[in-house]
Amino acid sequence: KDRGALFRIRLPSAVVKRVENESRGPATVTTPMHGKTILVVEDHEDTRRALSRVLQRKGFDVRAAGSVAAAMEQFSINCPDLMICDIGLSDGTGWELMDKLHKQGPVRAIAVSGYGMDHDLRRSRDAVFIEHLTKPINSSNLEHMIATTLTSAPR
């Protein structure tokens, strides 16, 4: 009592969805997570490196960028399946980056920020981020958001 609780969950390396098949009833569709490309945009080098390592261990192909300009370049070279983007970057904001990328087409992206007030979350939604994760990052929350975001339509 009064000591809290610790829960640990393991997520599969694939997302399983139930879909309705007219002739056969419910069916299961698996969306593989292994091998998907994630672009990590983070200006703090240690954080970028640590997040990249965690994602690589989960089987993702990870690209990294430390600025808006580097992210734009990475995006033009290899359009990733998902972008995880810090909001406060050295040469702009993640919101500005999303605005630039949306001029090129839809993007699946998760905002990561130390800012978690209602207006920050609203601004991320307005910038068409699918999710907004507040730092410090909880790995199980991140895994859940990645799975959710990869199975949603790009915006």
Side-chain angles (χ1 to χ4, degrees):
K1 183 178 176 184
D2 297 324
R3 297 184 128 201
L6 174 63
F7 299 92
R8 184 173 298 187
I9 63 168
R10 293 196 180 264
L11 297 176
S13 63
V15 174
V16 177
K17 283 189 184 178
R18 304 273 302 165
V19 295
E20 203 62 36
N21 181 325
E22 287 182 25
S23 61
R24 295 189 181 126
T28 301
V29 175
T30 302
T31 304
M33 297 295 172
H34 225 52
K36 297 283 187 182
T37 301
I38 297 180
L39 174 60
V40 174
V41 184
E42 168 64 60
D43 59 346
H44 188 264
E45 186 176 344
D46 291 339
T47 303
R48 183 175 62 243
R49 197 174 322 136
L51 184 54
S52 295
R53 256 194 314 264
V54 166
L55 294 170
Q56 286 170 337
R57 285 188 200 129
K58 296 289 181 188
F60 293 103
D61 179 20
V62 179
R63 303 286 185 256
S67 65
V68 170
M72 291 295 295
E73 183 179 334
Q74 282 288 334
F75 222 90
S76 68
I77 294 169
N78 181 11
C79 186
D81 298 298
L82 171 68
M83 179 174 67
I84 298 175
C85 184
D86 187 19
I87 295 298
L89 298 167
S90 59
D91 61 343
T93 68
W95 299 312
E96 293 166 345
L97 173 59
M98 284 295 282
D99 184 52
K100 291 177 182 183
L101 290 174
H102 270 100
K103 291 176 182 169
Q104 299 175 11
V107 179
R108 283 188 183 103
I110 298 171
V112 178
S113 174
Y115 307 113
M117 302 296 288
D118 286 339
H119 65 276
D120 300 313
L121 301 176
R122 192 170 30 260
R123 190 159 180 202
S124 289
R125 277 191 306 273
D126 291 345
V128 202
F129 279 99
I130 295 171
E131 298 281 355
H132 181 108
L133 185 59
T134 304
K135 291 178 182 178
I137 298 171
N138 175 303
S139 63
S140 61
N141 285 349
L142 177 62
E143 286 183 52
H144 174 73
M145 284 187 179
I146 289 172
T148 301
T149 304
L150 282 172
T151 58
S152 67
R155 297 182 181 174

